Amino acid sequence: MDFDIREIREYYESEVRDYDYDELLSLGISHDNAQFMVGIGVPEEFNDFVFYGTDTFKKTFIEDIQFINIGHYACFGMRNPDGLYLKEGSDELFTTSSFHRPQIYLLNKNLKTFFLFHLIRNELAMKMRQEGEYSSQKYARELRKLYEQLDPVAMKDVEGYWSHLIEDYETGL
């Protein structure tokens, strides 16, 4: 199954942020992430994720490493949303969680892969349902296999966001 990242825009339910490529680079965003942010686009909100405009980006040190806070994850009812961070000068996308040790951890190898994971999640479920092959466990196996091929490091963390998401499907939650 081939996935075209441009199709992710069909799943955006809010306005796309207007970013300037040169400004993103000057803020320390990597070339690849800046290219994605301008070329494909990033929505203001996506599922439980909120993405900021450049006027709200904030540089911060976490565990002696400089990050750029580009948004947050706020599931319904969360009092303190978890941040979304790009490591300055790197492609890597991180998030924080008070339940995770260390508190900041790799979410995906870059923004494109983060959105590609979401696209795969939606497209695979739709395909399996259309073909009458959907079961929560089978979906979880296929999803895990695809995710591990695309971004194995993101899937290594058994306490990470993506592992927990797949575990929910495996257990039928």
Side-chain angles (χ1 to χ4, degrees):
M1 190 171 188
D2 290 325
F3 301 96
D4 182 351
I5 190 60
R6 293 173 294 198
E7 292 177 17
I8 192 62
R9 291 182 64 117
E10 295 172 21
Y11 294 99
Y12 291 173
E13 294 180 358
S14 71
E15 293 295 314
V16 174
R17 291 277 183 196
D18 185 26
Y19 296 114
D20 178 77
Y21 179 79
D22 293 325
E23 182 181 12
L24 292 171
L25 292 180
S26 72
L27 292 169
I29 306 290
S30 73
H31 166 76
D32 288 344
N33 282 332
Q35 193 171 11
F36 179 84
M37 294 168 83
V38 172
I40 301 297
V42 173
E44 292 175 7
E45 296 180 21
F46 186 72
N47 294 337
D48 293 328
F49 296 91
V50 175
F51 293 90
Y52 306 150
T54 52
D55 60 328
T56 315
F57 286 3
K58 194 176 359 175
K59 290 189 180 190
T60 185
F61 279 94
I62 303 172
E63 299 177 8
D64 297 326
I65 300 170
Q66 183 135 4
F67 290 93
I68 306 160
N69 182 216
I70 63 162
H72 67 268
Y73 170 75
C75 193
F76 179 76
M78 285 179 71
R79 289 189 176 158
N80 297 318
D82 296 321
L84 285 173
Y85 300 90
L86 292 173
K87 189 174 177 182
E88 187 170 8
S90 169
D91 287 336
E92 298 169 322
L93 177 66
F94 289 81
T95 191
T96 54
S97 171
S98 57
F99 301 112
H100 194 279
R101 296 291 172 248
Q103 185 175 359
I104 190 160
Y105 67 95
L106 182 72
L107 189 57
N108 284 103
K109 63 183 177 182
N110 56 33
L111 274 173
K112 179 181 178 181
T113 306
F114 170 80
F115 283 101
L116 187 57
F117 271 30
H118 284 283
L119 177 66
I120 291 168
R121 180 180 168 199
N122 293 322
E123 294 287 313
L124 181 62
M126 187 170 40
K127 178 184 180 265
M128 291 177 84
R129 284 188 174 108
Q130 287 172 347
E131 295 174 355
E133 296 179 1
Y134 183 89
S135 77
S136 186
Q137 292 79 20
K138 184 176 181 179
Y139 175 64
R141 279 192 306 275
E142 290 298 312
L143 200 55
R144 181 179 299 279
K145 185 172 77 174
L146 290 168
Y147 284 1
E148 286 175 344
Q149 288 173 359
L150 289 168
D151 193 351
V153 175
M155 294 304 298
K156 277 187 179 180
D157 187 351
V158 296
E159 294 300 321
Y161 176 82
W162 297 112
S163 294
H164 276 287
L165 178 103
I166 290 174
E167 185 178 297
D168 288 349
Y169 289 113
E170 289 170 337
T171 59
L173 292 179

